[in-house]
Amino acid sequence: MLNISTCFIVVDTMQLCIMAILTILSIISIIVYVEDAVYIMRKVQCPMKKRTSLWSSAAPTVISTITCLGLWIPRSAMFVEIGIGTYFGVCFYLILMVIIEGYGGKDALVKKLESTDVHINTGPCCCCCCCLPRIKMTKRKVNVFILVVFQMAFLKPLFNFIGLILWSDGIYNIEDLSGVSIALWMNVFLGFCTVLALWPIGILFREAKVHLAEFNMGTKFAIFQTMLILTSLQGSIFSILGNTGVLPCVPPYAFKARSHLMHYHLLIIETFLLTILARNAYRRKDEEAGFTIKTQTA
């Protein structure tokens, strides 16, 4: 087993330079987000919009920071995946709230769409079901949409917590793809929950991209979709390549560790670009007094 000092001796200068550059990118992402957060705090008057925008726009920066830790601590791969998955699970709920609060709350959304026939044949569940009827938006249906999305924000952190407990007992391994793997079946169930949570988001976004174009809703949703692909699909591809031995084994990293390292390299660069894009998307002056939690529940 290599200790830290030995590891730094084995890693060549080029690799250390790459890690240093990627770390600098993560630090710049934090600085960019802090500057954007200060702007949002000053220029957005609605307290709920302000809170949601701060948490939602932070997603690329948070993922970049967690990934940077995994870059310097290769054995923390499982904890990096859990940290990224937990925060991004909450992002499902946040992007839905960004859309709803863009209208001015649930009541304003229902009033805006009360005369609109809303399409529900959207991806990823029903994009091919053209025969599905259109619906009229009501407050009850909005609450159902919120509940369907909230299950993802609740179950993802819960399953990650359960995974940590099982991992401490040696019966949970995210790299085990066998039919009896607990991690595999948990991820399959979470995959179904993910698809289900994306459906109401897609339904509301289909209308929001028309009615809320001035709020950069298309760009915000594109950032969310891109991060979903980068944190799930890209990570899975590199994991498969590492497990099958396709990627070369270069000391001091084994096949699996090198697959994680390459994924982290790309992810830090990608989230840095998304941080810049998120800054432009969420950097909008909003002087509307908006609403509070009390007015929403009244």
Side-chain angles (χ1 to χ4, degrees), residues 145-163:
F145 286 174
I146 294 175
L147 184 62
V148 172
V149 175
F150 183 78
Q151 55 85 21
M152 181 62 183
F154 174 75
L155 290 177
K156 185 68 173 180
L158 177 64
F159 274 42
N160 285 338
F161 178 73
I162 295 174

Side-chain angles (χ1 to χ4, degrees), residues 94-109:
L94 290 174
I95 191 65
L96 182 69
M97 289 297 102
V98 167
I99 295 174
I100 293 176
E101 291 167 9
Y103 284 99
K106 290 186 289 186
D107 293 333
L109 184 151

Side-chain angles (χ1 to χ4, degrees), residues 28-225:
I28 295 176
S29 296
I30 295 174
I31 295 173
V32 170
Y33 169 71
V34 170
E35 187 271 337
D36 187 40
V38 172
Y39 180 89
I40 292 174
M41 291 289 293
R42 292 178 177 177
K43 300 299 183 179
V44 178
Q45 300 301 318
C46 175
M48 291 192 69
K49 283 185 181 180
K50 182 185 300 183
R51 183 183 62 183
T52 305
S53 296
L54 288 172
W55 281 98
S56 183
S57 62
T61 304
V62 171
I63 293 175
S64 176
T65 304
I66 296 175
T67 305
C68 187
L69 295 176
L71 188 67
W72 290 96
I73 312 174
R75 292 182 181 272
S76 65
M78 188 187 75
F79 298 98
V80 170
E81 297 299 325
I82 288 177
I84 292 175
T86 299
Y87 191 90
F88 196 70
V90 178
C91 286
F92 278 78
Y93 178 75
L94 290 174
I95 191 65
L96 182 69
M97 289 297 102
V98 167
I99 295 174
I100 293 176
E101 291 167 9
Y103 284 99
K106 290 186 289 186
D107 293 333
L109 184 151
V110 173
K111 185 176 181 180
K112 182 74 174 180
L113 301 179
E114 61 183 356
S115 59
T116 303
D117 292 328
V118 178
H119 296 263
I120 61 175
N121 56 327
T122 61
C125 292
C126 306
C127 54
C128 298
C129 302
C130 301
C131 58
L132 289 177
R134 299 180 184 182
I135 64 173
K136 294 291 186 181
M137 192 60 63
T138 64
K139 193 170 183 179
R140 180 180 180 181
K141 291 173 182 174
V142 174
N143 288 331
V144 172
F145 286 174
I146 294 175
L147 184 62
V148 172
V149 175
F150 183 78
Q151 55 85 21
M152 181 62 183
F154 174 75
L155 290 177
K156 185 68 173 180
L158 177 64
F159 274 42
N160 285 338
F161 178 73
I162 295 174
L164 281 176
I165 296 176
L166 297 178
W167 172 81
S168 63
D169 292 333
I171 58 177
Y172 181 87
N173 182 8
I174 59 175
E175 297 176 349
D176 184 5
L177 302 178
S178 63
V180 295
S181 170
I182 296 178
L184 175 64
W185 289 108
M186 289 175 65
N187 287 329
V188 169
F189 180 76
L190 284 176
F192 172 77
C193 294
T194 300
V195 172
L196 190 63
L198 286 171
W199 189 28
I201 295 176
I203 292 173
L204 291 183
F205 170 72
R206 190 170 185 171
E207 303 299 329
K209 67 181 179 180
V210 177
H211 298 99
L212 302 177
E214 70 274 12
F215 288 97
N216 298 322
M217 203 59 65
T219 305
K220 294 175 182 177
F221 190 68
I223 294 172
F224 169 78
Q225 287 181 312

Side-chain angles (χ1 to χ4, degrees), residues 256-273:
K256 295 180 181 179
R258 186 161 181 79
S259 69
H260 291 306
L261 188 67
M262 294 178 68
H263 173 49
Y264 296 160
H265 284 178
L266 280 178
L267 193 57
I268 290 176
I269 297 173
E270 291 158 347
T271 50
F272 171 75
L273 298 177

